[in-house]
Amino acid sequence: MSLDPATLVAILAMAVVTYLTRIAGIFVAGRLALRGRAKAAFDAIPPAVLLTAIAATRLPLLATIATGVFAVVALRALA
Amino acid sequence: MHRTFASSRPARVEAQEGVIDIWPVMVAAVPIGLLFGALCVGKGLSILEAGLMSLLVFAGGAQFAAVELWTYPVPVLALAFSTLLINSRHVLMGASLAPKLGGFSLRQRLCAFYFLTDESWALAERRARRQPIAPASWFALATMLPIAWIGSTVLGAWLGSFLGEPERLGADFAFTAMFIGLIAGFWSGRATGFVIAASGAAAALTYLVIGPPWHVAAGALAGIATAWAAPGPARTA
């Protein structure tokens, strides 16, 4: 059961950043009403970053899945 | 700053309703937590470190992204940056929910929002359409989920320490599938398809040409720019 100092620092940094995102809404409520393009851009951040996390290191697997999905869509369109 | 709702309903009833709302989410969180714990151990984190992350960060998507980025020496800034981007959605969720927590003091709000997740937010928003959210109902609803999440993380890490390399069992594919499931949860029409295609291409290219951690910023920027430019139903909302 070990606790590496650098790992602890990283976990604490993640925790502080996350908590700040959680409570920020309390202080901007009523002043923050994103609409249109700004809302679309903001909503795009989580899926874009999640894909970024796997895009780099799981490229072959993702290419395989994308090929599979494309093949199914294409064949359905033909059928 | 806050109004006090004269709630005639006893706190016990409010709390029970919160628990009834959240328990299916707790059940669903267990396999995800098990996988997360096992992946942490596969990346070299200890059981204690994995459990600590689930306790202190308590945000599944950001934690999965972090464990994927994890290397030694630990890229602290890249991990914090990725976490900030993925969790930035909390700001909007909190801004929407905060005015509906009428009977909460500021201290209660600061405690309450530690437990803000996609799931507890969605359940609370649904509840707020019918009745004011009492502190008893929020805290019962919101504090149950960490029990399942932290518990399953620790159990998964413990089991993972016996299993060894995740690749050997095909768990790396489970991991990719998990990510695809997480991304699907944010799906809001065809525009999301353009977003992930653009961010995936930009991230992969940057990873190959420049190297980590810049691919996170490149992928995020490409996704944001695409959402800004692409036509979609979200535009008119």
Side-chain angles (χ1 to χ4, degrees):
Chain A
M1 197 65 77
S2 66
L3 187 59
D4 171 56
T7 298
L8 181 64
V9 169
I11 292 172
L12 288 177
M14 289 172 64
V16 168
V17 161
T18 303
Y19 184 62
L20 290 178
T21 64
R22 284 187 163 125
I23 59 167
I26 299 172
F27 305 102
V28 299
R31 265 170 287 167
L32 188 72
L34 293 182
R35 276 197 263 123
R37 283 172 188 271
K39 181 163 190 329
F42 201 88
D43 288 345
I45 297 173
V49 177
L50 284 170
L51 193 81
T52 298
I54 47 169
T57 45
R58 314 266 163 175
L59 204 53
L61 196 52
L62 280 181
T64 310
I65 293 167
T67 309
V69 170
F70 178 77
V72 169
V73 171
L75 290 172
R76 279 226 180 126
L78 289 174
Chain B
M1 116 172 216
H2 61 274
R3 288 169 295 145
T4 306
F5 285 97
S7 177
S8 56
R9 312 174 77 241
R12 191 176 50 81
V13 175
E14 294 277 359
Q16 274 173 357
E17 288 178 359
V19 173
I20 289 167
D21 276 348
I22 199 73
W23 80 262
V25 180
M26 290 178 70
V27 173
V30 168
I32 305 171
L34 289 173
L35 179 61
F36 176 73
L39 285 163
C40 280
V41 169
K43 276 278 184 165
L45 280 86
S46 69
I47 300 173
L48 176 65
E49 289 162 349
L52 207 56
M53 200 198 292
S54 280
L55 169 71
L56 296 177
V57 181
F58 184 50
Q63 288 179 235
F64 271 100
V67 97
E68 179 68 4
L69 291 171
W70 209 276
T71 48
Y72 290 93
V74 185
V76 176
L77 279 181
L79 292 169
F81 183 59
S82 156
T83 303
L84 173 67
L85 289 175
I86 295 176
N87 289 336
S88 57
R89 69 187 190 283
H90 287 147
V91 181
L92 293 183
M93 287 157 48
S96 158
L97 189 60
K100 292 158 190 155
L101 304 182
F104 287 57
S105 67
L106 181 61
R107 184 180 297 183
Q108 279 177 319
R109 282 162 195 256
L110 291 174
C111 290
F113 277 29
Y114 183 81
F115 302 99
L116 185 70
T117 59
D118 295 324
E119 294 80 8
S120 58
W121 174 76
L123 290 169
E125 287 280 350
R126 196 184 67 181
R127 190 174 177 81
R129 286 189 195 169
R130 289 173 286 147
Q131 65 209 77
I133 299 168
S137 115
W138 169 267
F139 282 103
L141 182 153
T143 59
M144 294 293 282
L145 194 53
I147 299 171
W149 180 241
I150 299 160
S152 58
T153 299
V154 170
L155 187 61
W158 181 70
L159 291 171
S161 62
F162 294 109
L163 295 177
E165 288 287 299
E167 284 79 4
R168 211 162 46 88
L169 298 165
D172 56 329
F173 181 74
F175 181 61
T176 307
M178 175 69 231
F179 260 98
I180 292 168
L182 282 171
I183 292 164
F186 290 104
W187 195 267
S188 60
R190 215 164 45 130
T192 314
F194 295 131
V195 165
I196 61 170
S199 64
L205 199 65
T206 311
Y207 186 83
L208 294 175
V209 176
I210 303 173
W214 299 104
H215 66 292
V216 179
L221 281 177
I224 292 166
T226 306
W228 181 276
R235 249 247 233 124
T236 50

